[in-house]
Amino acid sequence: MAALTGTRFLLRKVKASRCLTPKRTRMKAKWATTLPKYPATNLALQHFEATYNIQLGPLWPSVRVSLLSERKYGALINNFSDNDAVVRDLQDKGCQDFVSCTEQGVQSLAEQEVGRDSDGTPGKKLGEINNNNPFGDQEPAPLRLSSNIKCFVFPRGDIARFKPSRPDEQRLLTYYLMDAASLLPCLVLDVQEGHTVLDLCAAPGGKTLALLQTQAIRFLCVNDSSVSRTSRLKKVLHSYAPKELLTDKRLRVTSFDGTKWGEIERDTFDRVLVDVPCTTDRHSVLEEDNNIFSKSRTTERRRLPQLQTELLLSGIRATRPGGEVLYSTCSLSQPQNQYVAEQAVHLAREEGIQLQVIDLRPLNRMFRKTFNFAPDLLLGEMVVPHLTANFGPIYMCKLRRLS
Ligand code: SAM
């Protein structure tokens, strides 16, 4: 009875305090007049319409409708958790680990010449594919991928959703839901036993988590200039990684400006991931919140290629000679992808750093069951959204430091 009275008293207090809150500070939907005249999502779509129509040509209408439709996720399996039952359950639901279902070595580039693309259209002639390709008709070397990363996806055309992940007995979540194409940069980074790795722009931490799954890293440095986003990343790590690992000296989490990294820690890491801030195309056409196309962020948006180049150059400097650096964005934009990679390679060369571009064409062959890749890129590879495989966009370009 006493408890009930207490609850009633509290309720009354809450009601009274609500009445005391001045009207203007109460949460309510915005008045029509205060809504932005030009919603950022509309501005983003207009911008993409103008630029991607030219860049992607006949591919754009399909990419456009996919960007505006519900995206697809993958479930990155947490190797630190007790996940046997979860994996069995995912398999029973028809999901497959896309990483272990690669088509490596099944079909050479020459065979693709007479083959068919995954959507059933005839494959392009080798000469056509390579018209603009810096690697020419050369057969690419097989790609080595980071091991132990497992990610389950529903088959092409299946738009079923995953249930939220549940904790195991040690309270570790069993899988992390993310765009499955975001895993490709981590796979391509080819993390090997004993490597030192820098994740330069790491928050909120999906790719960091994927890198940790390899359980091969000797020292992992995780950085993001945003303090609030770094806190979010730490929370993610706490939900997925054992305490011993988080307090271990082999993991360092920092909040520095990544553009300065190469000045502080030069020629150091075996592998560097530079997953830069970009126009986040999918987010920009769907969400008003934190949209880079809002009028107030125009200068920031226009400065993106400059910032991206500085971050990539910094990542190149932080890589040891012989080491490798992976540049990635979640944008389709050529100025943010190819041009940034080219410019950073050029600026590095002026400093005496020689780089080799790694041929990523095998990715297309290995993962075409799961993803749609953009054809004819001059530099790097890009997953483009498609209604039957609505992942991406994800662009990636890999460089090896020769000196
Ligand atoms: N790799 C992350 C993941 O997989 O979850 C996503 C990274 S997000 C695309 C880009 C990040 O870059 C943002 O979290 C942003 O805070 C960070 N960033 C922006 N400017 C930066 C800078 N100068 N140095 C380091 N990080 C920066």
Side-chain angles (χ1 to χ4, degrees), residues 308-319:
Q308 291 159 342
T309 310
E310 285 173 25
L311 284 166
L312 177 53
L313 188 59
S314 180
I316 291 170
R317 288 178 184 143
T319 310

Side-chain angles (χ1 to χ4, degrees), residues 29-44:
K30 282 188 175 177
W31 295 104
T33 48
T34 64
L35 282 173
K37 195 167 169 196
Y38 303 106
T41 44
N42 289 11
L43 296 174

Side-chain angles (χ1 to χ4, degrees), residues 7 11 44 55 150 179 184 259 278 314 317-318 345 356 359:
T7 316
L11 275 175
Q55 187 191 311
K150 295 186 221 61
D179 187 324
L184 292 178
T259 61
C278 65
S314 180
R317 288 178 184 143
V345 169
Q356 176 194 357
D359 189 349

Side-chain angles (χ1 to χ4, degrees), residues 56-106:
L56 299 174
L59 206 62
W60 170 236
S62 149
V63 174
R64 183 186 190 279
V65 72
S66 310
L67 274 180
L68 292 165
S69 308
E70 193 173 338
R71 78 184 319 167
K72 220 173 147 167
Y73 283 90
L76 167 69
I77 299 298
N78 183 13
N79 293 330
F80 299 109
S81 71
D82 182 7
N83 56 45
D84 290 349
V86 172
V87 166
R88 272 198 305 278
D89 184 48
L90 290 172
Q91 284 167 335
D92 289 348
K93 289 194 167 97
C95 294
Q96 266 193 328
D97 171 23
F98 86 83
V99 186
S100 58
C101 295
T102 59
E103 292 182 42
Q104 185 150 28
V106 170

Side-chain angles (χ1 to χ4, degrees), residues 71-218:
R71 78 184 319 167
K72 220 173 147 167
Y73 283 90
L76 167 69
I77 299 298
N78 183 13
N79 293 330
F80 299 109
S81 71
D82 182 7
N83 56 45
D84 290 349
V86 172
V87 166
R88 272 198 305 278
D89 184 48
L90 290 172
Q91 284 167 335
D92 289 348
K93 289 194 167 97
C95 294
Q96 266 193 328
D97 171 23
F98 86 83
V99 186
S100 58
C101 295
T102 59
E103 292 182 42
Q104 185 150 28
V106 170
Q107 205 182 22
S108 73
L109 277 184
E111 284 167 331
Q112 279 183 37
E113 187 181 351
V114 289
R116 284 179 171 269
D117 290 343
S118 50
D119 62 358
T121 55
K124 289 201 172 158
K125 288 233 162 57
L126 195 59
E128 273 174 60
I129 294 174
N130 295 323
N131 259 351
N132 300 321
N133 198 303
F135 305 106
D137 286 353
Q138 209 179 308
E139 187 77 19
L143 269 186
R144 284 183 22 166
L145 304 179
S146 308
S147 50
N148 286 336
I149 297 177
K150 295 186 221 61
C151 180
F152 280 76
V153 292
F154 285 98
R156 242 179 209 274
D158 188 336
I159 55 164
R161 291 184 193 183
F162 292 98
K163 282 190 204 152
S165 178
R166 293 236 187 99
D168 68 0
E169 282 189 357
Q170 302 159 64
R171 298 198 174 171
L172 294 178
L173 292 172
T174 43
Y175 57 72
Y176 181 82
L177 294 180
M178 65 194 289
D179 187 324
S182 294
L183 276 182
L184 292 178
C186 305
L187 287 166
V188 167
L189 195 60
D190 180 26
V191 171
Q192 291 170 31
E193 198 63 43
H195 270 170
T196 54
V197 181
L198 167 65
D199 188 352
L200 194 61
C201 310
K207 295 189 187 69
T208 307
L209 209 53
L211 294 173
L212 280 172
Q213 300 309 314
T214 63
Q215 299 186 354
I217 301 176
R218 177 161 56 88

